[in-house]
Amino acid sequence: MEEPPFPQNIESNAELQEASAPFLLHPRTKGGSQTNFNNVPVALLPGRPFFELETQEVVSHISDELLTPDLDQLAPLLWLVGTQRSDHISPLHHQIVKGRQIIIAEKIELHCTWILDRVFLKPVPAFLMSWVFWQKYLISDNSPIPTNLRDSLRRGALGYLRTYFHLIRYPSDFRLAMEHHLIPEDTTFEKCSQFFARFGERLDEEVSPRYSYGELRLGRLNFWAKFAVHRFAFQKVQMHYGYNAYLTRFYGPLLFIFAFFSVVLSAMQVSMTVNPPNNSVKDPTGWDVFGGVCRWFSILAIILPSLALLTLFTTFLCMIGRETTFALRHLWKNKAKSSGDMHPSKA
């Protein structure tokens, strides 16, 4: 790819302009003048005015905005959490038809995931709609971003923007996108459609592994994350941060199990009382076999609920241990940092 995926005449952000130097960006203002601090032109990342383009921090920020390392690691299992089609993304108006509430999420790995009646979408960063930014940072060999990282960022950006080709298909989708501030306010439906159509043409081979799938079920992601990325949850979105709130969600299934065993054991007890088995005489009707089943089921009814309670208690201890370890790790890190600041190494 030698050119940005869209022509410069349809870019939705024109804050940057090329300079005569091999790699230098200057801010563009409406009056044609440049912002100066101590008479030095400073180019800021479009849409993120707290990041200067000529700093290393901006590379880290762009990576946070575009890379999905955990989802890429989960890619072999994503067929379990979503339909195996990259175009399996409902337009915004149909998200409302499905009874889902559109929730803004700046974390890129939450983009196009849903749980219960909520769908999470990341607004399009302004810098991704700048032709000059694409050319200088994601395309050019003179980019300050290392080649491997640049390729990963470009694949992530292509896949992410391709999702908006499916999200905004009708004028009603465009109005919803504007209402939720998913796209810049100074664009039009025609220009927006032309822009995202350029990404709709991209193949799965050109995007990050995560974007080979469309919408993903967050509930299933949270389940499989325990095995694939070794985390209690992929993303915490249901406010299970407190011990009580986290453990309460298990009460319903446990009460169901206890009620099931109580009903079955009561029925068995009544049956055995009406016609108790006689072990001395073989019963041709098989009633003695039923008595043996009742005895083993009674033992099972003791073991399984005990295991359930033990598992719940172990989960509680694991939560305390994990949080204590996290707190101690940061405490030691802060102490080491403070010690290093108080005793700087001599040159």
Side-chain angles (χ1 to χ4, degrees):
M1 181 188 297
E2 298 181 354
E3 292 291 332
F6 56 93
Q8 191 168 9
N9 63 335
I10 64 170
E11 66 176 350
S12 295
N13 185 283
E15 296 180 21
L16 301 175
Q17 63 179 352
E18 294 183 83
S20 56
F23 184 84
L24 183 61
L25 298 179
H26 293 295
R28 177 189 295 166
T29 61
K30 292 182 179 179
S33 60
Q34 297 174 352
T35 304
N36 288 275
F37 299 92
N38 298 325
N39 297 322
V40 177
V42 176
L44 303 177
L45 184 65
R48 305 290 189 268
F50 32 82
F51 289 104
E52 296 181 12
L53 281 173
E54 307 301 330
T55 61
Q56 186 61 34
E57 288 76 9
V58 74
V59 178
S60 176
H61 177 74
I62 295 170
S63 299
D64 292 339
E65 292 265 16
L66 299 179
L67 297 183
T68 55
D70 288 338
L71 285 176
D72 292 341
Q73 182 179 345
L74 275 166
L77 296 175
L78 288 183
W79 62 274
L80 294 168
V81 301
T83 303
Q84 300 180 60
R85 282 175 30 217
S86 60
D87 61 348
H88 185 70
I89 301 175
S90 298
L92 292 178
H93 79 275
H94 201 62
Q95 301 285 354
I96 305 300
V97 171
K98 290 181 176 181
R100 297 176 185 169
Q101 181 184 2
I102 297 174
I103 304 296
I104 300 302
E106 290 293 350
K107 285 187 175 182
I108 185 65
E109 291 195 323
L110 267 177
H111 179 68
C112 265
T113 64
W114 65 275
I115 186 170
L116 301 177
D117 60 347
R118 291 173 291 171
V119 59
F120 301 93
L121 298 174
K122 175 179 173 60
V124 179
F127 60 82
L128 284 183
M129 306 187 89
S130 168
W131 187 91
V132 175
F133 175 84
W134 272 85
Q135 178 62 37
K136 293 297 184 181
Y137 268 82
L138 301 182
I139 305 297
S140 175
D141 292 335
N142 295 321
S143 170
I145 303 176
T147 302
N148 291 338
L149 177 58
R150 187 170 70 247
D151 291 342
S152 298
L153 291 173
R154 184 168 61 245
R155 289 166 62 87
L158 289 172
Y160 165 66
L161 291 175
R162 187 176 68 172
T163 65
Y164 270 93
F165 170 73
H166 303 293
L167 287 168
I168 304 177
R169 303 303 302 269
Y170 303 95
S172 57
D173 300 324
F174 176 77
R175 290 191 293 270
L176 284 169
M178 296 292 286
E179 177 184 341
H180 290 85
H181 306 286
L182 296 175
I183 55 178
E185 297 180 356
D186 57 350
T187 187
T188 64
F189 176 63
E190 290 75 15
K191 194 171 184 178
C192 179
S193 299
Q194 293 177 15
F195 180 82
F196 290 123
R198 300 287 177 163
F199 298 92
E201 304 168 352
R202 299 295 166 177
L203 303 176
D204 289 347
E205 292 75 15
E206 302 178 72
V207 303
S208 298
R210 179 266 175 267
Y211 296 108
S212 295
Y213 297 80
E215 297 176 5
L216 300 176
R217 295 191 179 191
L218 188 54
R220 294 182 183 178
L221 276 175
N222 285 335
F223 175 79
W224 288 108
K226 295 176 177 62
F227 309 101
V229 293
H230 310 296
R231 297 210 308 250
F232 270 90
F234 180 73
Q235 293 290 340
K236 297 179 180 179
V237 298
Q238 293 181 284
M239 299 304 292
H240 291 150
Y241 299 113
Y243 299 141
N244 183 54
Y246 182 84
L247 297 176
T248 297
R249 63 177 182 171
F250 298 106
Y251 294 168
L254 287 176
L255 287 175
F256 174 80
I257 294 174
F258 292 152
F260 170 79
F261 277 104
S262 296
V263 171
V264 175
L265 287 172
S266 297
M268 288 181 173
Q269 184 179 9
V270 172
S271 300
M272 299 300 292
T273 302
V274 171
N275 189 7
N278 188 352
N279 295 327
S280 61
V281 180
K282 186 174 181 181
D283 189 352
T285 63
W287 194 252
D288 55 343
V289 176
F290 178 73
V293 172
C294 291
R295 283 193 294 271
W296 282 109
F297 191 84
S298 300
I299 297 173
L300 189 65
I302 297 173
I303 295 175
L304 289 183
S306 300
L307 287 177
L309 290 176
L310 181 62
T311 301
L312 200 63
F313 181 69
T314 304
T315 301
F316 175 69
L317 293 180
C318 289
M319 291 179 64
I320 294 178
R322 184 184 61 166
E323 294 179 359
T324 303
T325 303
F326 179 83
L328 288 174
R329 186 186 300 118
H330 279 263
L331 178 63
W332 293 332
K333 185 183 297 184
N334 290 336
K335 284 186 176 181
K337 183 179 179 181
S338 299
S339 177
D341 292 340
M342 292 176 62
H343 305 285
S345 59
K346 296 182 181 180

